[in-house]
Amino acid sequence: ASPTPTITATASSAPSASPQMKASARAAAVRFYSLYAASRYTAFWVLLAPATKRQVSRKAWAGVHEACSAARAGKSRVIKAVTVFGNAAIITETVAGASPGTAEDVFTYIDGRWRYSPQDPGIYHHGSVTADIAAAKAAGLCKSSKVF
């Protein structure tokens, strides 16, 4: 039997769930959702986690979201809860007029800033923006108010 690995975290590797960290996660989410609601998809691509930006080009991100923007038009978001643990924050929000009416998004704390981390960036890997849009529509994402 091999020994069980020990996993440790130092104070500098993960932010604490202090009120300041929750407030900064909330502020990052508000900025992100504001750009999203304003259809400023290229601007909010900058707020993605670095790993996601390496996987999803700015052109693909903006193209897919522009094509799928009708489901989100005019829907306001209200952040209901911010849960911080380690380098992650789960932002729970309600979306007016959406079904389901609540959504959860994950933000990751990287290099002193909160960044959006989509659950499945694979929707942007179909070889072209047109194919990515078709995949998003086929998956029902374009009818959803969820950020993807």
Side-chain angles (χ1 to χ4, degrees), residues 68-122:
C68 292
S69 65
R72 290 172 288 286
K75 292 193 171 47
S76 63
R77 294 175 180 273
V78 175
I79 295 174
K80 292 294 189 179
V82 177
T83 305
V84 174
F85 53 96
N87 289 340
I90 297 174
I91 308 296
T92 304
E93 73 262 299
T94 57
V95 184
S99 178
T102 61
E104 290 182 339
D105 292 310
V106 176
F107 284 72
T108 307
Y109 193 75
I110 301 169
D111 296 329
R113 300 179 77 190
W114 289 103
R115 304 295 185 131
Y116 176 65
S117 297
Q119 292 179 9
D120 184 13

Side-chain angles (χ1 to χ4, degrees), residues 14-37:
S16 69
S18 69
Q20 293 83 4
M21 287 307 291
K22 283 184 162 188
S24 68
R26 179 183 291 274
V30 166
R31 180 172 181 230
F32 182 81
Y33 296 138
S34 294
L35 290 171
Y36 190 68

Side-chain angles (χ1 to χ4, degrees), residues 1-61:
S2 59
T4 303
T6 303
I7 300 172
T8 59
T10 63
S12 62
S13 67
S16 69
S18 69
Q20 293 83 4
M21 287 307 291
K22 283 184 162 188
S24 68
R26 179 183 291 274
V30 166
R31 180 172 181 230
F32 182 81
Y33 296 138
S34 294
L35 290 171
Y36 190 68
S39 301
R40 295 191 53 213
Y41 305 117
T42 301
F44 90 95
W45 179 87
V46 175
L47 302 177
L48 296 175
T52 302
K53 289 198 290 190
R54 286 190 294 275
Q55 295 178 48
V56 181
S57 73
R58 186 183 304 238
K59 179 181 175 184
W61 181 266

